[in-house]
Amino acid sequence: MLFLWLYMFYSCAGSCAGLAARGSPAPPRAAPPLLPGEPGEESSLEEQRVAPDAGSPISSFFNGSGTKRLPQAIIIGVKKGGTRALLEFLRVHPDVRAVGAEPHFFDRNYERGLAWYRDLMPKTLEGQITMEKTPSYFVTKEAPARISSMSKGTKLIVVVRDPVTRAISDYTQTLSKKPDIPTFESLTFKNRTTGLIDTSWSAIQIGIYAKHLENWLLYFPVGQILFVSGERLISDPAGELGRVQDFLGLKRIITDKHFYFNKTKGFPCLKKAEGSSKPHCLGKTKGRTHPDIDQEVVQRLRDFYRPFNMKFYQMTGQDFGWD
């Protein structure tokens, strides 16, 4: 009887391994650890992961296999640009394994060391890519050197959005948590009479993309950074995901068939999320209604950002059409 049991076990192991080699789906990812981070930047439990379907015998057999590796690609920014949507879309790809929560390693937890960072990563099989996303990296002065020190070949992705809209979205998020904060208009200016913009306010400062990019180009060539349009991620998610998959060296598996447009939320959702057979939209913290902002203030902000936008277009070789 013992001999028969061993024979059946090793026969199963051989056939399952053969299936994996021919491209069977990777095992469901273990739930990522929840880490401290910037308020509002981390996703809710609903957004971090979608509960996988009950595993098949094959997926159960391989659950836990693979190796934890440092990420080969990182979504480094920007806050309120669409990074959560991009990560959730990418996780549909069978060759992408990503941490759900934001590790904040290169800005807040660097002293913990690379071994700690690697231990946060999901296990991957040969040919799969390990990823993470922490939008605050893009505006963190020390982050480029630290990532370069880990690996000069790390591929970087930046999701950018009209800086005026991004600033209003940033403010809207804070307002939802702190209803008694000053108005957007009062925070925008150091002196409204003179029209002097307060660039020390993070909601304004983040949108000066050209300034932040200069720091990254000291350590990485521009060709190693992919700039994703937050606007096109909404209007043409499959098109932007095609560019991302090409950049990462992945087969174009994520296509139009994976998306549907949710009119209520105002952005695309997945017909089937990673590890699930059910449709999935980002949670209620995404797609908040923006408050009405004085149009004179909006115009002053557009005038302020215009030269920085033009420089950013030149640096990236892309016109994002924000004016």
Side-chain angles (χ1 to χ4, degrees), residues 14-260:
S15 61
C16 291
L19 285 170
R22 291 193 293 272
S24 65
R29 178 177 49 261
L34 300 182
L35 301 171
E38 184 172 349
E41 265 302 283
E42 280 69 33
S43 56
S44 65
L45 285 174
E46 174 191 2
E47 292 169 354
Q48 283 178 7
R49 54 187 178 271
V50 179
D53 295 332
S56 66
I58 292 177
S59 63
S60 298
F61 183 86
F62 283 102
N63 188 28
S65 64
T67 305
K68 290 191 175 187
R69 299 179 175 89
L70 292 169
Q72 297 92 51
I74 303 176
I75 300 174
I76 59 173
V78 300
K79 180 183 178 185
K80 307 309 296 178
T83 59
R84 172 56 52 185
L86 178 60
L87 185 71
E88 292 303 318
F89 294 164
L90 278 173
R91 289 170 77 173
V92 172
H93 201 292
D95 290 333
V96 171
R97 292 287 156 219
V99 181
E102 294 169 4
H104 283 280
F105 176 64
F106 295 105
D107 57 352
R108 301 178 189 173
N109 294 300
Y110 194 63
E111 73 285 351
R112 294 176 180 262
L114 285 172
W116 177 87
Y117 182 50
R118 181 172 52 234
D119 194 53
L120 299 180
M121 300 300 132
K123 291 182 178 180
T124 54
L125 302 175
E126 190 66 31
Q128 292 182 320
I129 291 176
T130 303
M131 292 188 67
E132 71 116 318
K133 78 107 176 170
T134 304
S136 52
Y137 289 163
F138 188 64
V139 298
T140 299
K141 186 177 180 181
E142 299 82 8
R146 290 172 174 177
I147 295 177
S148 177
S149 178
M150 176 187 73
S151 172
K152 295 183 182 298
T154 305
K155 292 185 177 182
L156 308 173
I157 300 175
V158 185
V159 187
V160 289
R161 182 184 183 187
D162 181 330
V164 177
T165 308
R166 197 221 65 81
I168 297 172
S169 180
D170 199 334
Y171 173 80
T172 303
Q173 176 175 280
T174 304
L175 184 66
S176 70
K177 299 176 182 298
K178 301 177 181 179
D180 58 342
I181 62 172
T183 65
F184 180 88
E185 290 83 352
S186 64
L187 291 170
T188 297
F189 299 101
K190 283 186 176 179
N191 186 320
R192 186 164 181 178
T193 302
T194 62
L196 184 62
I197 303 293
D198 188 357
T199 57
S200 67
W201 184 28
S202 64
I204 300 296
Q205 198 259 350
I206 290 172
I208 309 175
Y209 303 138
K211 175 184 175 182
H212 305 302
L213 181 57
E214 286 177 342
N215 190 32
W216 287 89
L217 295 182
L218 296 175
Y219 298 90
F220 294 93
V222 70
Q224 206 166 311
I225 309 174
L226 181 68
F227 301 93
V228 174
S229 165
E231 287 83 11
R232 288 196 295 271
L233 199 57
I234 294 174
S235 64
D236 181 20
E240 284 300 279
L241 264 293
R243 295 179 59 240
V244 177
Q245 289 172 96
D246 291 348
F247 175 72
L248 295 175
L250 298 170
K251 183 179 178 181
R252 284 200 179 195
I253 290 177
I254 306 171
T255 62
D256 280 326
K257 68 181 181 181
H258 288 90
F259 302 99
Y260 73 95

Side-chain angles (χ1 to χ4, degrees), residues 298-314:
V298 171
Q299 188 56 52
R300 287 196 181 189
L301 272 178
R302 293 208 175 281
D303 294 340
F304 166 78
Y305 278 121
R306 187 170 293 109
F308 295 109
N309 290 346
M310 295 301 106
K311 184 175 182 181
F312 185 67
Y313 296 172
Q314 292 175 339

